[in-house]
C-alpha cells in the first residue's frame, strides 16, 4: 500500500500512531490536510511533495464553486496555507507549485479539477519511479554483507513508496545482497525506532535499533560499513535533514566511514546556501513529555530545531535518480541533474 | 540534603522517580539496596562508592549474629552481592572494598559494625570534600560568560553532594562567574533531562535541554565553549562514561572545543586498559517503551550498551581533587594522583 494516495480525498497512513496502531487517515478538506502535515501524520520530503500536490487537488474538489475565478482564487489560498505548514522540506513547495501551475491552466471548473488531480497523481507516480531508479544506482555502492546505518526515516513511509535511503537498502536486497541495517531512534519524535524499524521488519530486512547516542560506539567498534540518510533540502553548501544527521556525519568522517545522502532531484535548491534556509523549531513539549512520562522538569528551557545542515564536505556521495554524484558538487550537481 | 546517607538504614533520593516525584527510599536490607542499585534508584560512580560502603554497614546491622565468624561471613557474602549489581563503575568496588577491609579488622560483632559504618561515613564525607576541591580546580578552566555542555548527570545526584562535572559548574557559579549549561537528555534513561535539568533548576543555574542528537548543531553554531562530563572508570587509554559520551567527545574534537572529564581519584583504574573493561548491556525494553508509549516494534532487535569508552586522546584535561591533569596522561596521571 502506498503511504499517500487519492481516493475521494487525500488518504494516508497516520504515522504518528505507528508502531502502536496502523490507521488510515482520510483528509476531506485542505484544512484537515494542513493539520495532518503539521502534526507529522504525513512527513518525509518526497511524501510531502505528493501531499502538497494532492492538497491542491483537494482544494479543487472540497466544495462547489460558482465560476473559474472563484476556484482559482480558492486554490491559490490553499497553496499558501499548505506552504505555511512546514518551512524546511523544499519538496513540499515543489509539489504545491507543480499542481498549482497545472490547475491554473484550466479553462473550466471541471478542467481545473482534472488537471490538478492529474498532476498530483503524476507526481506520486514519478516519486515511486525515481526512488526505484535512485535505489538501483545506490545499490551499486552497497557490498554484499554490509551493515548500513540510517537516521530518521527515509523509507517507504517518507515517500509515496520504496523510499530513498531505505530504497537503496530495498534495491540492494532485491539484487540478492545480504544487508543489515542499524537504525538510530531519532529523538525527539523517534521516526527511526517507530517508522524505520517498523517498515524494515514488515519487509523482513535485518534491523537493529540503537539510541542516537550510540552512533559513536557502533562506529568505533567497526560495526558500520556506511551511512545512508535522506534529505529535506540540498543547497549548494549543505544537506538539510532531520536534526541529528550532522552529528552522524561528523562521526562518520572521524571514523572514515562513507556518508551517503539519497534524495531525488526535487530536493535540490541549488540557488540557495545554508544561511538562507529557515530551520523549523518545534514545540518544547517534544522533549519534556513522552506519553504519560515526564522526561524533564516542566519549566526547563528547551532548544528544539527540527533539522540541521550537514556541510557538503562531510558527504561522500549524493545518490539521485540521475545517478551518483560525487565531489566537486559545485560542478557535478548542475551537470548531472541538468539544473 | 545529601543524595545518600545513613539513618538506621541506607537512605536515598529515588532517582528513577525524578522529576515527577521527589521520594525518599529507605533500604533496611542489603537485598533492598542491591535492587535499588540495579534499577538505578541510586547511580553515578561517586554515589555508588558511598552506596557500596553503606551496603557493608547495612550487612553488619541488618540482623543479629551469633558470633564474629558469622557476621564476617555475612558481610563477605554481602560484598559479593553488591559487587555483582553493576559491572562498570569502579568506585562501587572501591567503596565495598574499603568498608569490607575496615569491618574485617574488628574483633567483636559491635566493633565490626562500628568500623564498617565509620568507614562508610568517612567515604561519604570524603566524597563531598573531594568534589569541592575538584570543583575549585575545574572552575579555573571556566571563563565568565561560558556555556558548558554536559552529558548524563555528574551532579549532586551522582555523588553524595556537590557533584563532579556539575560540581565544577557550581564552583564557578560560587566564584561569581556567569555560566550557562546545555544538558543533553541522555537516552535511553534521560538522566540529563530528568536529573541534570532538575538539580540545576533547583539551584537557579541557567540550563537549556537538548536531545543528544542536537549536540552537533549547537557546536556548529558556536553555542558551546567547553564540554564537561563525569566518568565511571578511567583506564590508561580511555574514559568509560555513560553511553553517548564518546559521540560528544568526537564532536568536540571536530569543532575544536575543549572536552573535560571531572572525576575523583577513586575513578581511576590505571592498571587496566579499554579492552579489559566489561561494558554493561541493559534491557532492550529501555529503547522500546517509554511510560505508556511504544517507541518501537516490540519484536525489534536492540543494542543497548550502558557505557562507552572515550580514548584519552579526545580528552583535553581530567579534573581531579588533586588538580588538573593534562597530556601526556601516561606520565601525569600516576605523578599527580600518586598512583
Amino acid at each position: 500500500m502506498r503511504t499517500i494516495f487519492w481516493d475521494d480525498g487525500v488518504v494516508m497512513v497516520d504515522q504518528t500512531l505507528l508502531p502502536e496502531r496502523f490507521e488510515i487517515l482520510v483528509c476531506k478538506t485542505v484544512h484537515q490536510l494542513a493539520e495532518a502535515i503539521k502534526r507529522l501524520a504525513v512527513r518525509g520530503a518526497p511524501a510531502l511533495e505528493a501531499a502538497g500536490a494532492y492538497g491542491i487537488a483537494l482544494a479543487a474538489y472540497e466544495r462547489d464553486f460558482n465560476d473559474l475565478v472563484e476556484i482559482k482564487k480558492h486554490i491559490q489560498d490553499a497553496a499558501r496555507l499548505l506552504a505555511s505548514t512546514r518551512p524546511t522540506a523544499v519538496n513540499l513547495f515543489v509539489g504545491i507549485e507543480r499542481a498549482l501551475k497545472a490547475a491554473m491552466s484550466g479553462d473550466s471548473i471541471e478542467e481545473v479539477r482534472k488537471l490538478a488531480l492529474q498532476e498530483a497523481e503524476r507526481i506520486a507516480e514519478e516519486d515511486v519511479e525515481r526512488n526505484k531508479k535512485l535505489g538501483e544506482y545506490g545499490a551499486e555502492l552497497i557490498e554484499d554483507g554490509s551493515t548500513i546505518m540510517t537516521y530518521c526515516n527515509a523509507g517507504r513511509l517518507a515517500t509515496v513508496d520504496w523510499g530513498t535511503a531505505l530504497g537503496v537498502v530495498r534495491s540492494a536486497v532485491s539484487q540478492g545482497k545480504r544487508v543489515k541495517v542499524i537504525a538510530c531512534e531519532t529523538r525527539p519524535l523517534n521516526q527511526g525506532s517507530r517508522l524505520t524499524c517498523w517498515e524494515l521488519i514488515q519487509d523482513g530486512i535485518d534491523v537493529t535499533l540503537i539510541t542516537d547516542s550510540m552512533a559513536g560506539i557502533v562506529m568505533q567498534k567497526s560495526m558500520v560499513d556506511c551511512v545512508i540518510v535522506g534529505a529535506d533540502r540540498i543547497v549548494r553548501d549543505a544537506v538539510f535533514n532531520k536534526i541529528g544527521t550532522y552529528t552522524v556525519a561528523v562521526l562518520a568522517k572521524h571514523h572514515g566511514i562513507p556518508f551517503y545522502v539519497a534524495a531525488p532531484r526535487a530536493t535540490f535548491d541549488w540557488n540557495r546556501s545554508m544561511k538562507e534556509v529557515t530551520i523549523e523549531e518545534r514545540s518544547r513539549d517534544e522533549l519534556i513529555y513522552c506519553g504519560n512520562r515526564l522526561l524533564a522538569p516542566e519549566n526547563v528551557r528547551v532548544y528544539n530545531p527540527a533539522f540541521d545542515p550537514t556541510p557538503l564536505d562531510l558527504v561522500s556521495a549524493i545518490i539521485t535518480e540521475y545517478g551518483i554524484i560525487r565531489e566537486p558538487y559545485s560542478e557535478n550537481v548542475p551537470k548531472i541533474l541538468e539544473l
Side-chain angles (χ1 to χ4, degrees), chain A residues 92-148:
Chain A
L92 174 65
F93 313 130
V94 170
I96 293 167
E97 279 306 313
R98 277 184 59 180
L100 183 65
K101 196 177 159 197
M104 287 302 125
S105 69
D107 290 327
S108 68
I109 292 175
E110 268 324 295
E111 204 188 3
V112 165
R113 287 176 167 163
K114 204 182 109 190
L115 289 169
L117 184 54
Q118 260 181 4
E119 187 68 6
E121 294 283 31
R122 188 175 297 127
I123 286 171
E125 206 55 55
E126 282 174 14
D127 183 50
V128 183
E129 283 166 30
R130 72 190 178 186
N131 292 340
K132 295 227 167 152
K133 273 191 205 161
L134 178 163
E136 287 291 315
Y137 282 118
E140 292 168 20
L141 299 170
I142 309 302
E143 283 180 42
D144 186 34
S146 292
T147 298
I148 300 166

Side-chain angles (χ1 to χ4, degrees), chain A residues 284-296:
Chain A
R284 57 199 296 282
D285 291 358
E286 294 181 353
L287 274 78
I288 296 176
Y289 304 97
C290 184
N292 63 352
R293 283 291 311 271
L294 186 65
L295 296 183

Side-chain angles (χ1 to χ4, degrees), chain A residues 230-267:
Chain A
D232 289 83
R233 189 189 297 217
I234 302 176
V235 295
R236 61 174 183 268
D237 52 358
V239 172
F240 283 81
N241 192 44
K242 181 55 55 197
I243 184 70
T245 302
Y246 171 65
T247 288
V248 177
V250 169
L251 288 168
K253 183 79 169 185
H254 182 82
H255 294 88
I257 294 169
F259 181 86
Y260 301 124
V261 173
R265 185 178 184 273
T267 311

Side-chain angles (χ1 to χ4, degrees), chain A residues 4 6 10 12 27 29-38 42 47-60 62 74-100 116 120 280:
Chain A
I4 184 164
W6 180 270
V10 182
M12 61 184 74
C27 297
T29 70
V30 173
H31 274 96
Q32 286 169 357
L33 179 62
E35 274 314 297
I37 294 172
K38 271 194 225 168
V42 58
L48 288 176
E49 192 173 333
Y54 280 131
I56 298 299
L58 199 52
E62 71 179 338
H74 182 71
I75 287 175
Q76 282 168 322
D77 290 345
R80 272 189 295 274
L81 173 66
L82 291 165
S84 73
T85 51
R86 299 199 64 200
T88 312
V90 70
N91 309 58
L92 174 65
F93 313 130
V94 170
I96 293 167
E97 279 306 313
R98 277 184 59 180
L100 183 65
E280 176 184 1

